[in-house]
Amino acid sequence: MLEKDIEQYLKKRVEIIGGLCFKFISNETGVPDRTVIHKGNVFFVELKTAVGKLTPRQKYIHQKLIETGGKVAVIHGKDEVDVFINFLDSLKDTRDDA
């Protein structure tokens, strides 16, 4: 399965549970593939095939995101997308009631 297929699968699954799954184009290399928002939680998601590996630049950018309070998920394949979706769906809603 290609990375783009995994990306499409993630988008579809996030939308089914009522979340948003954006792809932003950046002039910065190493930025995660997707930004997922669900129940007020924001995750930067890097998608890889089952055997895909992070580049040193991706590792660096992910660490910078984490250091500044970002949440980063690295997902390998459709099975891990399903695990991530179950995790998202189990999260507490962090939005204000107002």
Side-chain angles (χ1 to χ4, degrees):
M1 174 170 280
L2 299 174
E3 193 174 294
K4 70 176 186 166
D5 298 323
I6 300 165
E7 197 169 341
Q8 290 171 352
Y9 182 69
L10 171 72
K11 182 176 180 356
K12 192 180 305 181
R13 291 293 316 274
V14 168
E15 290 172 349
I16 287 171
I17 64 169
L20 299 171
C21 186
F22 295 121
K23 181 174 188 81
F24 296 107
I25 306 302
S26 175
N27 62 355
E28 187 75 38
T29 60
V31 175
D33 300 307
R34 291 281 180 160
T35 301
V36 172
I37 304 166
H38 185 61
K39 297 181 180 177
N41 298 282
V42 178
F43 290 87
F44 299 98
V45 180
E46 185 67 49
L47 295 156
K48 295 289 182 188
T49 63
V51 295
K53 296 189 184 332
L54 294 174
T55 66
R57 180 66 180 172
Q58 287 172 320
K59 290 176 184 178
Y60 171 79
I61 293 295
H62 294 183
Q63 186 59 41
K64 289 296 179 189
L65 287 167
I66 292 165
E67 287 172 4
T68 57
K71 299 173 193 167
V72 177
V74 179
I75 297 174
H76 292 86
K78 282 177 70 175
D79 289 343
E80 287 189 15
V81 168
D82 293 336
V83 171
F84 180 68
I85 293 299
N86 290 335
F87 166 74
L88 282 179
D89 213 22
S90 74
L91 290 174
K92 180 180 185 287
D93 197 327
T94 63
R95 297 170 291 187
D96 292 333
D97 292 337

